[in-house]
Structures are given as structure tokens and as C-alpha cells.
Amino acid sequence: MKWENVFSWEGKVRIPQEGRFIELEEDKSLIVPNNPIIPYIEGDGIGSEIAPAMLHVVNTAVEKAYGGHRRIYWVELLAGDKAEEKTGQRMPEETLEVLRQAVVAIKGPLGTPVGKGGKSLNAVLRQSMDFYSAIRPVYWLGQPSPIPEPQRVNVAVFRENSDDVYMAIEYMPKAEDTQKVREFFIKEMKVSEYALPEDCGITVKPMSEYKTKRHVRKALRWALENKKKVVAVVGKGNIMKATEGAFINWAFEVAKEPEFEGRVITEGEPAEGQVLMLRVITDQMLMQLVLKPEAYDVIITQNLNGDYISDLASALVGGPGFVPSGNIGDGYSLFESTHGTAYDIAGKGIANPLSLTLSGAMMLEYLGWKESAQLIYEAVRRAIEDRLGTPDIALGFRKMGVQSRELSTMDFAEAIAERIG
Ligand code: NAI
């Protein structure tokens, strides 16, 4: 599939003259030209198969919605296996520089080579631009799912992305450092040896007011803009008072800030233009998501809980292969598929392109190009309604006793593109 607005890497990054970079206003809102330059990273494994599929669907939707008046100029950046092969580095400095300049970007999955050491490239990317909220809107588009009424699931999970146990402050069992940390707690802080036995490992779980509040503000603004009704702040605050408990309290403080006064309520029925904010304990939420998923529209939570909750929610609608995601900071954003590199099926042309394609649609919404995003959602729904899909989707239908047609990654993308408009 050849698109003249896709500038693949050819010995160097090619910045198209016809495009313009997105810029940020002082308040961090986006200034989006009609010809934005948007970088894409194919990713490892199935990345080189699902990325062209996404580009084809997104290009078709933009063309259909705006008839040439708007057009994305895609610039390929290298990272992961392809970057190592071409440049000797897994994350070339040039990639980070262009990502920063471009403000908005999209990527496929990046593998973390086992036993090679080094930080995960995903962590490097998330931290280099302080993408502090990970957003996973989970909704059902007709695909096979393990529950009888998946249409009841429509929830956006806002996972804090810059705090919590992911900061990798870890002390391994029996290491010298660990004994120092233990000693400090036992001697200085009067913690019992029962709580910190000699052979224990220790993981530190930091959580800060500043990081929590910026994340909560982002989630509440999104909930209000998208006319959502019920927002749950989720954590195990009854056990981890200093971290998840504090997170919940800070979230309710944000609700009282002038920006949200009268618009975020904490009891009663939300009226037009209002959201109701509730607190829910993590284990309760995991149960509720299965038993009455329709009860919540938005979940605001910490990094680790967000990981568990978003995976459970994704499973309810058929798995991570169907769910998009966005990492968003102060304006800067990186959209990405939620699954991994699927090395086991790479190169066969059978990978499901929906997670990355729907992330592309989510990116269009973020640009304010909602009409084109809507075209993609409707086209995916129609393709699935017509019982078309990659082998994983076809298998799901077979298990339900429903006939379907099995397509390659690119043919499925073409089937979606044909249903646009
Ligand atoms: P995985 O998601 O790559 O694979 C799990 C299973 O799901 C495999 O059987 C695979 O074939 C299947 N699968 C995944 N995506 C699929 C798709 N689009 N279509 C059809 N089938 C699909 O998870 P795994 O094996 O745990 O991770 C492999 C690598 O990916 C690791 O190096 C991991 O670190 C990385 N990874 C990267 C992520 C990212 O870049 N955001 C997220 C998750 C994992």
C-alpha cells in the first residue's frame, strides 16, 4: 500500500516540507495545523505488519472526512529491533528529539530483550516526555467476547503513569543495601523484625500529591468534555494509607478546586454537565467490573492498580488486541497498541491490527479531528458485523458457533477502509 504522505526511514529521518509540526499553547493545549507532521514507530515483531494497516485506515478516514483539506504527514522514527539493526542503538537520540518536536506520535509494540539488561524502551519513552497519564478507553465494537453482554462495558481507565512501584526503587532479598534499609526501619523507625525479616526484599511505593493531582485533573477534564456521568477513584486506601489512601484524598481535593466546582459532585444524581465522583476499593472494583460494568464511565487510579484494572476491563471486551491506549502528559502524547510484539506470529501477516488502529482513532480525537475518528469506529463495527477478521477474531467467532471470514492483517485493514464513509 503506497501513500505519498508516509515518509519511511531511509537512512535518516525524512521531515516532509509539506507538513508542519503541532505546537503547544502556553496552557499546553494543542495548536494543530491542517497538515500536521506525526511520527510513527512501527515497533518490533508484528509492528511492521500492524503499522501499515493503521496508517491505511487512518489516512482513508482523514481523506474521507476532510476531502484533502486536512492531511497527516507521517514520519517514521526508529526504535527497538529495527533501530538496532540500522543504527546500532535501540533508542536513537534522533527519535527522542523528533518526538519532542512533534508533540503527538503513535507507536507499535516494543520488545524488551530478556537478559540483555537496559531499561525498557517503553519506560524510556514514557519518562522522557513525562507522559503522566495512561488512558485506555475500553468499549465493545461487536467482536467475540467472553461475557454475554459486552455492550455493557464502556469505561475509560486513567492510570497514573509516573509514580508507584514502577519507579523501580527495589532492594533485593539478602543484598547489602537491603540490610541497610532494614536496619534504618528497625532501629530508627521502630518497625518490628517480624515485618522486615532478614531475608525479605523491599519495593518502595512512592506517591506524590503533585503527580496525583495533575493526573486527576486530566481525567476529570476528559470526563466532563466527553459528558461522562460516573467517575470512580480506585485504590486500596484502607491498607496503604500513605499512598493509595492519600491518592484518593488528593483526588477529592481536586474535585473542590474552582475549575471543577459545581461540575464534579461527590453525592447525589449528576445533572447535565456534571459528573459524580465516587471512591471504590480496588478489589470491589474488580468484582464490580465483572458484575455491573455499566455502573462506571471513568476509573481514575494509580499505576499498578491501573495495570490490573485495564487488563481485566480489556478482557471483558475480548482482550487487549481490541483496546487502544494513549500516554499523555502536558500536551505531549504517544498513542500505542496495548498488546506486545507477538513474536510467535510475526511475519505471517495474521496479526490483529485493531488495537493500533483504534489508537490511531483515539489520536485523531485528541487532535480534535473527531469526525474522522468516528468514521473509523463505525467502519470497524461494520467489518466485525460482516463477520470479517484476522484469525484470532475468526477463532473467537468459531467458539461462539458463528461463521466468519478469516483475513490477513492488510486485507482486514482494507475491509475496514472500504467501510469508511
Ligand atoms: P504479547 O502481547 O506479545 O503476546 C501474548 C499473546 O497474544 C501471544 O500469543 C500473541 O501471539 C498474542 N497477540 C498479541 N498481540 C496480538 C495481535 N495484535 N494479534 C493477534 N495475536 C496477538 O505479550 P508477551 O508475549 O508477554 O510480550 C512479548 C514482548 O512484547 C515482550 O518483550 C514484552 O516486553 C513486549 N510488550 C510490549 C508492550 C508495549 O510495547 N507497549 C506491551 C506488552 C508487551
Side-chain angles (χ1 to χ4, degrees):
M1 198 118 337
K2 201 92 188 114
W3 284 91
E4 59 188 36
N5 58 330
V6 177
F7 292 75
S8 53
W9 193 88
E10 281 176 13
K12 62 178 172 56
V13 176
R14 296 191 298 152
I15 306 286
Q17 294 301 311
E18 305 90 318
R20 272 186 51 210
F21 283 110
I22 291 171
E23 289 174 46
L24 286 177
E25 294 273 15
E26 215 161 294
D27 68 355
K28 307 296 178 196
S29 59
L30 301 185
I31 307 171
V32 183
N34 286 330
N35 52 347
I37 295 173
I38 299 194
Y40 70 98
I41 296 171
E42 281 187 351
D44 300 331
I46 57 172
S48 58
E49 296 157 62
I50 59 175
M54 176 278 292
L55 293 173
H56 181 49
V57 173
V58 172
N59 273 339
T60 307
V62 170
E63 199 169 82
K64 195 80 191 180
Y66 309 113
H69 168 61
R70 282 178 169 165
R71 174 183 253 199
I72 294 173
Y73 287 86
W74 301 97
V75 169
E76 185 185 10
L77 300 181
L78 299 189
D81 296 345
K82 191 166 175 182
E84 191 166 9
E85 187 196 315
K86 306 268 187 200
T87 71
Q89 286 174 298
R90 290 190 68 74
M91 181 60 73
E93 189 49 43
E94 186 184 43
T95 294
L96 293 175
E97 267 167 32
V98 180
L99 283 177
R100 252 179 240 123
Q101 196 172 359
V103 183
V104 176
I106 188 164
K107 68 173 269 290
L110 289 171
T112 310
V114 181
K116 272 205 183 171
K119 216 168 171 179
S120 129
L121 296 184
N122 290 312
V124 171
L125 283 172
R126 284 173 198 156
Q127 285 171 22
S128 66
M129 262 153 287
D130 198 15
F131 298 125
Y132 54 80
S133 294
I135 308 169
R136 238 193 238 190
V138 183
Y139 46 80
W140 183 68
L141 292 170
Q143 66 271 22
S145 121
I147 59 168
E149 295 174 294
Q151 66 275 18
R152 290 164 64 198
V153 184
N154 187 353
V155 65
V157 182
F158 275 72
R159 167 185 174 186
E160 206 289 329
N161 222 7
S162 64
D163 234 346
D164 209 343
V165 291
Y166 290 80
M167 293 304 103
I169 310 169
E170 297 225 90
Y171 299 95
M172 300 304 284
K174 298 186 181 159
E176 210 175 294
D177 275 2
T178 314
Q179 298 315 321
K180 279 193 207 152
V181 176
R182 271 188 73 238
E183 232 166 76
F184 169 75
F185 275 110
I186 293 167
K187 290 205 178 126
E188 305 278 327
M189 309 304 286
K190 309 292 173 228
V191 172
S192 73
E193 294 214 26
Y194 178 79
L196 290 173
E198 204 176 338
D199 57 353
C200 73
I202 300 169
T203 299
V204 180
K205 182 181 172 78
M207 215 156 269
S208 91
E209 178 173 355
Y210 168 72
K211 288 179 174 177
T212 300
K213 285 189 169 174
R214 63 183 183 170
H215 171 65
V216 173
R217 284 185 201 110
K218 191 174 285 300
L220 288 179
R221 282 177 198 141
W222 187 91
L224 287 163
E225 259 168 49
N226 289 280
K227 303 192 182 347
K228 300 295 177 183
K229 286 282 152 218
V230 184
V231 173
V233 181
V234 180
K236 192 100 177 145
N238 50 336
I239 303 298
M240 290 167 276
K241 299 182 177 67
T243 51
E244 299 193 10
F247 179 103
I248 294 169
N249 292 338
W250 289 323
F252 278 82
E253 283 174 21
V254 170
K256 289 197 201 119
E257 290 177 356
E259 178 183 354
F260 301 112
E261 219 186 315
R263 300 207 293 158
V264 178
I265 58 168
T266 52
E267 53 185 19
E269 263 307 294
E272 191 69 28
Q274 286 185 325
V275 293
L276 171 65
M277 187 163 160
L278 302 170
R279 68 185 73 207
V280 183
I281 293 177
T282 312
D283 34 340
Q284 262 299 320
M285 178 49 82
L286 293 170
M287 243 188 337
Q288 302 257 358
L289 268 177
V290 176
L291 296 175
K292 50 170 195 169
E294 66 279 6
Y296 305 101
D297 302 315
V298 179
I299 291 172
I300 305 180
T301 192
Q302 310 81 29
N303 210 338
L304 183 60
N305 280 326
D307 197 2
Y308 302 147
I309 290 170
S310 58
D311 269 20
L312 172 67
S314 305
L316 294 175
V317 298
F322 301 94
V323 177
S325 93
N327 299 289
I328 303 186
D330 282 331
Y332 291 97
S333 62
L334 179 64
F335 295 83
E336 64 174 336
S337 47
T338 48
H339 52 74
T341 54
Y343 284 120
D344 54 335
I345 58 162
K348 297 184 179 160
I350 57 170
N352 178 352
L354 283 184
S355 176
L356 190 64
T357 302
L358 294 170
S359 299
M362 190 180 169
M363 185 190 80
L364 292 173
E365 283 195 62
Y366 186 70
L367 300 183
W369 296 11
K370 293 195 188 277
E371 305 78 6
S372 52
Q374 209 50 43
L375 288 179
I376 297 178
Y377 300 133
E378 282 158 21
V380 170
R381 200 182 280 282
R382 268 190 231 130
I384 293 175
E385 231 168 55
D386 292 343
R387 301 293 180 244
L388 302 174
T390 42
D392 57 314
I393 300 176
L395 175 67
F397 278 128
R398 265 201 304 284
K399 284 187 187 159
M400 292 163 61
V402 174
Q403 287 268 350
S404 65
R405 209 162 104 225
E406 210 170 278
L407 299 177
S408 70
T409 306
M410 216 49 214
D411 286 346
F412 186 39
E414 185 55 45
I416 296 168
E418 278 167 9
R419 285 162 179 75
I420 286 177

